[in-house]
Amino acid sequence: MAFEFETKPKFVTFDMNGTLIKFAISDALRQVLGDRLPAELADEYLQACKAYRIDECMGDYKPFREIVANSMERASRRLGIEYREADAQAVYEIVPTWGPYPGVTEALNRLAEEVPLVIITNSDTADAARLAANLQAPFELIISAEEMGTYKPRLGAFEYMFEKLGVTPDEIVHVSASPMYDLRSAAILGIKNKVYVDRGFEQDEHWLGYERITDIADLPVLFGLPRPAAS
């Protein structure tokens, strides 16, 4: 299992939150709301927040703290739960404390020896830097939604990335755990070489034409690097 490149890619670009960083926003919502989130409504509320977050990302740019707040307010109104601005701020402040999934740091450092790594993330600039630092791996560039003035899955985010990196779609490999936020848009814009890191929170959309992996240690293998021996 490996890509067959006509020419070596110039960059590997990564979604960060949910792909490399364990994006535990549902846990943060439960933690902050506590007993004010009724058990019988919890799952529906968390799903509503997720749906409203992506809906908020599709409009005009606003800071991610507003994405979090607006999604919580809309979900709360829909389900009859009390909304407090302080709750949204508390959830937002938890975001940059998250760390990587197991094996991510090792895989990234191994891959970085072969090809430059880039992050394109829906985080604000300051939080993107903090979260990337938690990965403990070398990145050539971190492109934030704040810098781009738009969020994935909007096509403009990827078009900004192409221009920023000075590449065409066939000169990169894009890696994400989200067909919804990343891989659909990448396919539409002609990124042939894509990797779906299946974290189990979205459905496999194999028709998008990506390589699917469930273990991040397999990512360097796709680039022809040998899998490390078991310790």
Side-chain angles (χ1 to χ4, degrees), residues 31-58:
Q31 175 186 329
V32 169
L33 293 175
D35 293 340
R36 288 183 291 109
L37 179 59
E40 66 274 14
L41 293 178
D43 288 346
E44 187 176 0
Y45 175 81
L46 297 174
Q47 285 299 315
C49 283
K50 180 178 180 180
Y52 285 129
R53 280 196 303 276
I54 192 168
D55 188 60
E56 290 285 331
C57 286
M58 297 304 291

Side-chain angles (χ1 to χ4, degrees), residues 19 24 99 101 117 167 187 189 192 198:
T19 300
Y101 283 100
L117 312 182
V167 296
L189 289 176
K192 177 183 176 182
D198 189 349

Side-chain angles (χ1 to χ4, degrees), residues 158 161-162 169-170 172-174 186-194:
F158 291 88
M161 179 182 73
F162 297 150
D170 59 351
I172 65 170
V173 177
H174 189 63
I188 288 168
L189 289 176
I191 300 176
K192 177 183 176 182
N193 295 312
K194 302 177 291 296

Side-chain angles (χ1 to χ4, degrees), residues 92-121:
Y92 176 78
E93 289 174 358
I94 291 171
V95 171
T97 69
W98 294 327
Y101 283 100
V104 162
T105 296
E106 295 81 0
L108 290 175
N109 278 281
R110 197 145 177 270
L111 189 56
E113 296 175 4
E114 292 294 315
V115 61
L117 312 182
V118 172
I119 284 172
I120 174 171
T121 176

Side-chain angles (χ1 to χ4, degrees), residues 2-64:
F3 284 118
E4 295 182 2
F5 299 116
E6 293 183 7
T7 57
K8 183 177 177 180
K10 293 184 177 179
F11 299 97
V12 183
T13 59
F14 290 88
D15 169 64
M16 182 164 59
N17 297 328
T19 300
L20 306 177
I21 291 288
K22 189 171 183 181
F23 189 70
I25 197 163
S26 290
D27 293 340
L29 287 161
R30 288 182 185 272
Q31 175 186 329
V32 169
L33 293 175
D35 293 340
R36 288 183 291 109
L37 179 59
E40 66 274 14
L41 293 178
D43 288 346
E44 187 176 0
Y45 175 81
L46 297 174
Q47 285 299 315
C49 283
K50 180 178 180 180
Y52 285 129
R53 280 196 303 276
I54 192 168
D55 188 60
E56 290 285 331
C57 286
M58 297 304 291
D60 292 339
Y61 174 79
K62 57 183 77 70
F64 189 67

Side-chain angles (χ1 to χ4, degrees), residues 118-136:
V118 172
I119 284 172
I120 174 171
T121 176
N122 278 356
S123 296
D124 296 333
T125 299
D127 286 350
R130 289 179 63 185
L131 287 162
N134 295 347
L135 293 170
Q136 298 183 312

Side-chain angles (χ1 to χ4, degrees), residues 129-204:
R130 289 179 63 185
L131 287 162
N134 295 347
L135 293 170
Q136 298 183 312
F139 291 95
E140 292 289 314
L141 201 61
I142 301 166
I143 304 172
S144 70
E146 182 179 354
E147 175 186 341
M148 295 186 291
T150 193
Y151 288 94
K152 300 176 295 177
R154 301 199 70 178
L155 300 182
F158 291 88
E159 291 167 337
Y160 181 99
M161 179 182 73
F162 297 150
E163 185 172 352
K164 181 82 172 183
L165 298 178
V167 296
T168 57
D170 59 351
E171 292 177 324
I172 65 170
V173 177
H174 189 63
V175 182
S176 177
S178 178
M180 180 171 59
Y181 274 98
D182 281 75
L183 297 169
R184 294 176 193 169
S185 300
I188 288 168
L189 289 176
I191 300 176
K192 177 183 176 182
N193 295 312
K194 302 177 291 296
V195 180
Y196 172 41
V197 184
D198 189 349
R199 298 290 187 192
F201 54 77
E202 288 192 28
Q203 295 297 314
D204 183 6

